Amino acid sequence: MAEEVVLLDFWPSLFGMRSRIALAEKGIKYEYKEEDLRNKSALLLQMNPVHKKIPVLIHNGKPVCESLIQVQYIDEVWHDKAPLLPSDPYQKATGRFWADYIDKKIYDLGSRVWKTMGEEQATAKKEFIESLKLIEKELGDKPYFGGESFGYVDVAFIPFYSWFYAYEKCGNFSIEAECPKLIAWAKRCMQKESVAKSLPGQQKVYDFILQMKKHLGIE
Amino acid sequence: MAVLKLFGAWPSPYVFRVIWALKLKGIPYEYIEEDLSNKSPLLLQYNPIHKKVPVLVHDGKPICESTVILRYIDEIWPQNPLLPTDPHERAVALFWIKFADDKSPFISKLYRTDGEEQQVAAKECFEMLEAVEGHALVGGKKFFGGDEINMVDIAFCSVAHWLGVIEGFTGLKIFEPHKFPRLNSWIQNFKSVPVIKDNLPDTDKMSAVLKRRREMLLASKSS
């Protein structure tokens, strides 16, 4: 039976990028469908009725929602190539812990860095940098979060690199100055074709954020 | 011999999730009660990032975050599996577990806040119940995964037990059986499972503890 894989996505989505990378790592052919979030398709509303959000992975007509769940699903179904999760249960647990930390802390703090001004932004910036330093500490001297090979936590986190320039310009700071090892790790990941072709350019993301700020009345 | 320790704090629903998983699989463990106003050096060593309970320590290695712990337990001790084996069914189960994780803090907010903040929490809780009623329990299933209790049921424990207690002493009315008939059936089924029934925090005791916590929180806000 021919496999039919569709990804409902939105080009600057950090979460969509994760699934793009996982699909590329496994060499899976799929149909990419760009959603207009101001005018969501009937398919999106049908496939994710609870949240009505992207990304949605549709495999042979059946939807999988939530990016980290999609990455784990892709890893399980196409298990014969480029394993993303380690086989050891304790290492798996560590990976899940950090992916959860990235979603709970990094994403929210990053959002506050570009969405706020003044005092609020200063606080967000401080906490954002602290979180990045924690993640950098977890990376240590390893080439990737999982060790020698690119894996689950790398997939979860590398999309943020495409947003770093936007965070830096909005918050007026340098992530490389604060976390040089993280930037080195990011550049290493960007050498991989699966990552390079899944992430939008940093300038393009910044232009998008500027548009969003105007639209939200933040200046 | 494997040594399993669980750091918890009564009556945290996140701790009870882990207790039930261990008991459903018949795994022995040592329980250590933490005083969250005076956290032990051991807890801070095992969970330096969040400094929270539950923490499971297996052969000296800590695992933090209740859902991460549940998945670890399910992988190491596969008897009485808590997740479906089919990848798509598992993805659906994980979706609802994440939903429960994302929304459960609003149940706590019902007693930890007042005024507008409490109203926002109440609205979030109501919408959560609507989503579960409308999308997760369709088809007359006994439990979220079918005939047997699994990780999704455990993840929604706050809805099954904590919500009712909190509604009781705050005077809020969010869950009404006639508005949520599928959820109502599920709650009865969930609480009838022997391991759950025998290991639920006492409602009077919980009410007293959470009510006192509410008074202290609201008093410190206004001072």
Side-chain angles (χ1 to χ4, degrees), chain A residues 59-87:
Chain A
H59 182 206
N60 294 332
K62 294 195 285 191
V64 177
C65 305
E66 300 295 336
S67 62
L68 291 177
I69 296 174
Q70 287 161 9
V71 173
Q72 289 177 72
Y73 177 83
I74 289 164
D75 201 39
E76 277 170 31
V77 173
W78 291 277
H79 51 82
D80 46 347
K81 188 182 174 191
L84 295 171
L85 274 143
S87 46

Side-chain angles (χ1 to χ4, degrees), chain A residues 17-30 70-71 74-75 78-85 144 148-156 158 188-199:
Chain A
M17 287 178 220
R18 289 167 170 174
S19 302
R20 286 174 230 164
I21 295 168
L23 289 164
E25 278 286 298
K26 304 281 183 176
I28 300 159
K29 279 198 168 63
Y30 68 98
Q70 287 161 9
V71 173
I74 289 164
D75 201 39
W78 291 277
H79 51 82
D80 46 347
K81 188 182 174 191
L84 295 171
L85 274 143
Y144 300 104
E148 290 305 309
S149 37
F150 184 77
Y152 183 66
V153 180
D154 305 284
V155 175
I158 191 60
R188 189 176 301 122
C189 292
M190 290 296 287
Q191 300 284 325
K192 295 177 70 68
E193 199 193 332
S194 61
V195 176
K197 72 175 189 180
S198 300
L199 264 52

Side-chain angles (χ1 to χ4, degrees), chain A residues 73 76-77, chain B residues 74 78 81-91 93 145 150:
Chain A
Y73 177 83
E76 277 170 31
V77 173
Chain B
D74 205 37
L82 296 175
L83 281 175
T85 42
D86 171 73
H88 188 261
E89 282 176 29
R90 181 152 56 230
N150 75 6

Side-chain angles (χ1 to χ4, degrees), chain A residues 48-51 62-66 69 72-73 76-77 89-90 92-93 96-98 100-101 104 134, chain B residues 47 49-50 61-65 68 71-72 75-76 86-88 90-92 94-96 98-99 131 135:
Chain A
N48 191 356
V50 176
H51 298 304
K62 294 195 285 191
V64 177
C65 305
E66 300 295 336
I69 296 174
Q72 289 177 72
Y73 177 83
E76 277 170 31
V77 173
Y90 190 76
K92 245 192 259 204
R96 287 182 183 133
F97 173 88
W98 284 104
D100 173 71
Y101 179 84
K104 277 201 182 103
L134 245 166
Chain B
N47 193 357
I49 302 211
H50 298 304
K61 295 186 292 191
I63 303 119
C64 309
E65 294 299 303
V68 177
R71 294 200 66 183
Y72 177 80
E75 277 155 23
I76 301 269
D86 171 73
H88 188 261
R90 181 152 56 230
V92 173
L94 291 173
F95 172 89
W96 287 110
K98 181 177 197 297
F99 186 78
H135 297 281

Side-chain angles (χ1 to χ4, degrees), chain A residues 93-108:
Chain A
T94 305
R96 287 182 183 133
F97 173 88
W98 284 104
D100 173 71
Y101 179 84
I102 288 160
D103 275 0
K104 277 201 182 103
K105 290 275 182 170
I106 310 275
Y107 180 73
D108 282 345

Side-chain angles (χ1 to χ4, degrees), chain A residues 130-156:
Chain A
E130 274 167 18
S131 290
L132 290 178
K133 288 190 166 164
L134 245 166
I135 288 245
E136 192 183 47
K137 194 170 155 210
E138 172 60 20
L139 176 67
D141 291 315
K142 306 192 295 275
Y144 300 104
F145 281 93
E148 290 305 309
S149 37
F150 184 77
Y152 183 66
V153 180
D154 305 284
V155 175

